[in-house]
Amino acid sequence: MIQVQAGRDARWRAFTLVEILIVVVILAILAVIVIPRFSNATDTARINSLLTHLHSLRKQMEVYRFDHDDEYPTVDQLWGNLTGQTATDGTAGTAHGPYIGKPPVKPFTLGTAVAADNSGDWQYDDATGRIKAVVPATLVTKHNLSTDDVVAAP
């Protein structure tokens, strides 16, 4: 409100309905422009985090393979062998590890489930040691993600 002084009388002049509507419309237009940018930034941050997890995990998988006579852990052993200590044959022991502190959490689902197919959060091939993230198909196409890093969710 604006106070208008006219001699001794003080009158209050309120904003008109038209002025308030103009401000609301301007704010709505700004929101329509800004909100999608924040949404896209969130996806981009999650993708970058995911790719960083994959890069680190793949490096540690190679160290594991080197320590274990060119063998990768099986799907069932993956997180246990990478987060614990193992003997050279991959069984429980103290010769090697741990390679990672804890299983990586996938930023989109906050899950750590690993499977040989795309039914988990991570897809792992124990014959090749290749691990990929399972992400929604819309993100794969929208962000042009490499099939070397991700596989589309069912």
Side-chain angles (χ1 to χ4, degrees), residues 79 103-104 106 109-115 117 119-123 132 134:
W79 297 144
K106 193 173 77 172
T109 62
L110 303 179
T112 61
V114 64
D117 57 11
S119 63
D121 296 302
W122 304 96
Q123 181 187 44
K132 297 180 182 184
V134 180

Side-chain angles (χ1 to χ4, degrees), residues 76-137:
D76 297 331
Q77 298 173 323
L78 183 64
W79 297 144
N81 283 14
L82 290 178
T83 58
Q85 291 185 313
T86 57
T88 302
D89 64 359
T91 59
T94 58
H96 308 289
Y99 299 92
I100 58 175
K102 61 183 182 179
V105 175
K106 193 173 77 172
F108 296 100
T109 62
L110 303 179
T112 61
V114 64
D117 57 11
N118 62 349
S119 63
D121 296 302
W122 304 96
Q123 181 187 44
Y124 175 62
D125 181 355
D126 53 15
T128 64
R130 194 71 178 157
I131 190 160
K132 297 180 182 184
V134 180
V135 298

Side-chain angles (χ1 to χ4, degrees), residues 2-136:
I2 301 170
Q3 185 177 12
V4 178
Q5 293 275 343
R8 299 172 110 203
D9 295 317
R11 294 184 324 194
W12 293 96
R13 181 178 164 259
F15 292 109
T16 66
L17 181 60
V18 172
E19 292 170 330
I20 293 172
L21 286 175
I22 289 172
V23 170
V24 169
V25 167
I26 290 171
L27 291 175
I29 291 170
L30 288 173
V32 167
I33 293 170
V34 171
I35 288 174
R37 291 180 191 247
F38 284 124
S39 174
N40 194 27
T42 301
D43 281 349
T44 302
R46 287 182 178 160
I47 288 168
N48 288 339
S49 174
L50 177 75
L51 295 176
T52 301
H53 283 315
L54 276 171
H55 181 73
S56 298
L57 186 56
R58 288 175 178 160
K59 283 186 174 204
Q60 294 308 314
M61 294 285 292
E62 289 307 309
V63 173
Y64 179 95
R65 183 179 64 90
F66 178 77
D67 287 344
H68 294 84
D69 298 328
D70 285 338
E71 294 291 327
Y72 292 107
T74 65
V75 172
D76 297 331
Q77 298 173 323
L78 183 64
W79 297 144
N81 283 14
L82 290 178
T83 58
Q85 291 185 313
T86 57
T88 302
D89 64 359
T91 59
T94 58
H96 308 289
Y99 299 92
I100 58 175
K102 61 183 182 179
V105 175
K106 193 173 77 172
F108 296 100
T109 62
L110 303 179
T112 61
V114 64
D117 57 11
N118 62 349
S119 63
D121 296 302
W122 304 96
Q123 181 187 44
Y124 175 62
D125 181 355
D126 53 15
T128 64
R130 194 71 178 157
I131 190 160
K132 297 180 182 184
V134 180
V135 298

